[in-house]
Each structure stands twice: as C-alpha cells, then as structure tokens.
C-alpha cells in the first residue's frame, strides 16, 4: 500500500490533439456562457434598487454560487487540455473538492429557498412581506453558507484522511466518487456514509421543492388570468426540470459503481450536473425576466452616458 500525497493525474481526454481541442472548446463555451449570464444577473440586481427584494436577492446568491462551482473545475481542465498535461497537485485536488462541494451544496439550498419564496408569494401573499422580510432572508442565506461550509469540510476531511493506492483519477477534476475509487480497500467507509448523508439531504430538498410546486400549481389553477397562470408555469416548470436533471445525474455519478475504464458517458454525466445547470440557470430564472432586462438596459445606458460625458 502506498499513500499518494504529492500529485494526481486527471483524465486524459484523448491522445489525439485535435480531439482534445474539441473538448477544450466545448468546456470553454460552456464556461463563457455561465460567466456571462450570471455576471449580467449580479450586475443587474446589484445596481438596480428596484430589484432589492427577496426573489432577486436569492437569484444573486444563486448566480454567485454558479460562477463559483464552475470556476473551481473548468479553468484547470481547459488549462490541462491546452498544455497537454494531466497533473494536479494534492493541495489543488483538496481545494477542488472543498470548494466544489461548498458551492454545489449551497446551490441546492438556495434553489430550495427560491421555491419557498415563490410559495409564500403565491399561496400566502398577504403575509409575504412579514415572512420574507430582509432580516429573515439574510438569516436564511447565512444559514445556507454556514451549513454548506460544514458539509464541504466534512466531505473533504472524509475523503482525504484516507490513504490512496493510486494517483490516477479517471475524471477531468477531483470528483469524490473517483477519489474513493482509488482509495485503499476498506479505508473510505466514513466518507461513503457522508456522501449518503449529503445525498439524503439533497433528495429531501427535491421532495420539498416538488411539494411546494404542487401547492403553487394548485393555487395558480384558481387564478382567473390566463397570462398569470402561463407566467407562473413558464418559470416553475423549467426550475423543476433543471433541478431534477442536476439532482438525478449527480446521484447517478455519486452512487453508481465506478468503472475502471473511463467512458464518454462518465464525461457527459459529470458535465450534466456540474456545468449545465449553472449555464441554464440564468436563462431560466433571470434573462427571460422583464425586470432583469429593464435593469440591464438602465445599467448599459448609464455607462454609455458616463462615457460620453467623460470625452
């Protein structure tokens, strides 16, 4: 038994340079879309005081977490592809696990809070300002960040206190299931239990969101306005769809037996839960939103005005 503590070798996408470039271009496109969409949301909400309400407060936090989750893993993968290397140092691998689990865990929690916010707004509108006041929303977000921090520390400690009998990770970043795969036999029981616990919490959030939306849909069906019903369904259904894709692909990646040989399916599944939801979230929650569009147009008009006055 040998405990590898210096560096790991990540997935070799292909021995053919042209195919590596294709993979790199794909990841770069997804990363650019994610950064652009989420940065636009943050700018719009931060600079427009009309959007300083609970729904957009949660949206801004979601955008920050989406940027964080992809920035932890994608730049390193693109760098490795362009430089034709596979190396990641031990501390870099620890950082990837710590930060990725932190951002993904907080992402799930914020999506749950967003569902609750919509439930209160639609099903209990008269009490909305009392329930979802600024103090309550701040406490909710603080709880999300604190709980996510403890969750990521627990997962990271459980993963890296085990000795590793190999340094080859068949994934393009340090993913916990693949790290457990190369852990020495019988040394990863604690982390397996932690993963199952985290998965149970994630599924509990999913059940909460489903129940919440069932109640929302039941309330919306009583709305006489066809346009109001259409607007609610067009927002809630994509939210539920993307969250379902994220959760079930993540479960498939984390809970299934890991093969000794990497495949394109492994890559697709990982991208589906680690990158795609962060790319789609801006399109679903904000960039189709009239208030966000108005806020962005105001911001861009203001910038253009200051540029003209400074000339």
């Amino acid at each position: 038994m040998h405990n590898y503590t210096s560096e790991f070798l990540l997935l070799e996408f292909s021995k053919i340079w042209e195919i590596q470039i294709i993979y790199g271009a794909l990841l770069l496109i997804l990363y650019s879309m994610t950064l652009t969409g989420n940065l636009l949301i943050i700018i719009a909400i931060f600079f427009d005081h009309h959007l300083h309400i609970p729904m957009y407060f949660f949206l801004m936090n979601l955008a920050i977490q989406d940027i964080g989750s992809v920035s932890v893993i994608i730049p390193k993968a693109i760098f490795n592809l362009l430089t034709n290397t596979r190396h990641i140092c031990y501390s870099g691998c620890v950082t990837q696990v710590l930060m990725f689990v932190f951002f993904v865990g907080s992402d799930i929690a914020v999506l749950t809070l967003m569902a609750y916010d919509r439930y209160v707004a639609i099903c209990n509108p008269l009490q909305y300002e009392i329930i979802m006041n600024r103090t309550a929303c701040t406490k909710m977000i603080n709880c999300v960040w604190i709980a996510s921090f403890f969750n990521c520390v627990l997962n990271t400690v459980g993963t890296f206190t085990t000795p590793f009998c190999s340094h080859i990770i068949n994934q393009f970043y340090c993913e916990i299931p693949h790290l457990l795969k190369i852990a020495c036999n019988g040394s990863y029981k604690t982390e397996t239990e932690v993963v199952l616990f985290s998965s149970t919490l994630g599924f509990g959030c999913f059940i909460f969101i489903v129940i919440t939306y069932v109640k929302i849909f039941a309330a919306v069906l009583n709305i006489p306005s066809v346009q109001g019903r259409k607007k609610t369904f067009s927002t809630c259904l994509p939210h539920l769809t993307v969250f379902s894709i994220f959760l079930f692909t993540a479960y498939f990646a984390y809970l299934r037996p890991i093969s000794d040989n990497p495949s394109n399916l492994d890559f697709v599944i990982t991208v589906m839960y680690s990158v795609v939801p962060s790319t789609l979230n801006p399109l679903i929650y904000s960039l189709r939103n009239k208030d966000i569009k108005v806020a962005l147009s105001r911001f861009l008009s203001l910038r253009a005005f200051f540029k003209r006055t400074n000339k």
Side-chain angles (χ1 to χ4, degrees), residues 41-263:
I41 291 171
I42 294 170
I43 290 170
I45 296 172
F46 184 80
F47 287 101
D48 195 322
H49 69 276
H50 296 96
L51 302 183
H52 293 177
I53 59 176
M55 180 177 71
Y56 295 112
F57 174 66
F58 293 139
L59 274 174
M60 188 168 69
N61 276 271
L62 182 69
I64 293 170
Q65 290 154 0
D66 283 339
I67 290 174
S69 65
V70 295
S71 296
V72 169
I73 60 175
I74 299 300
K76 175 62 177 175
I78 295 173
F79 175 81
N80 282 2
L81 283 165
L82 295 179
T83 57
N84 196 27
T85 184
R86 301 168 56 192
H87 298 273
I88 183 170
C89 64
Y90 187 87
S91 60
C93 194
V94 173
T95 301
Q96 276 198 341
V97 171
L98 180 74
M99 299 307 296
F100 183 72
V101 173
F102 172 73
F103 284 118
V104 170
S106 56
D107 215 53
I108 294 173
V110 169
L111 288 171
T112 306
L113 288 180
M114 288 170 61
Y116 177 70
D117 174 72
R118 291 300 83 205
Y119 166 76
V120 176
I122 294 171
C123 300
N124 198 6
L126 298 179
Q127 299 293 318
Y128 180 77
E129 291 187 3
I130 298 175
I131 297 173
M132 302 300 293
N133 59 71
R134 177 173 294 186
T135 302
C137 291
T138 303
K139 288 181 179 179
M140 290 178 189
I141 286 297
N142 288 339
C143 288
V144 165
W145 290 106
I146 293 170
S148 299
F149 174 75
F150 282 112
N151 179 56
C152 74
V153 169
L154 193 63
N155 277 276
T156 306
V157 170
T159 300
F160 289 97
T161 51
T162 61
F164 296 101
C165 292
S166 173
H167 68 305
I168 298 174
I169 303 172
N170 289 322
Q171 188 54 273
F172 68 90
Y173 72 97
C174 291
E175 188 183 43
I176 289 178
H178 287 271
L179 286 166
L180 296 182
K181 177 68 178 179
I182 63 174
C184 299
N185 290 334
S187 61
Y188 55 87
K189 181 180 178 182
T190 301
E191 175 54 20
T192 303
E193 292 172 351
V194 172
V195 169
L196 289 173
F197 175 72
S198 300
S199 300
T200 303
L201 290 179
F203 190 71
C205 290
F206 174 71
I207 295 299
F208 177 85
I209 290 174
V210 170
I211 294 173
T212 300
Y213 278 147
V214 167
K215 293 183 177 181
I216 290 174
F217 293 152
V220 167
L221 291 175
N222 295 322
I223 297 176
S225 170
V226 175
Q227 186 176 0
R229 291 200 299 268
K230 184 178 179 181
K231 182 179 179 181
T232 304
F233 282 124
S234 67
T235 303
C236 294
L237 286 177
H239 177 186
L240 193 59
T241 301
V242 172
F243 189 78
S244 300
I245 291 172
F246 161 74
L247 199 66
F248 288 111
T249 51
Y251 279 164
F252 190 73
Y254 271 69
L255 301 181
R256 71 188 177 99
I258 301 298
S259 172
D260 292 326
N261 299 314
S263 66

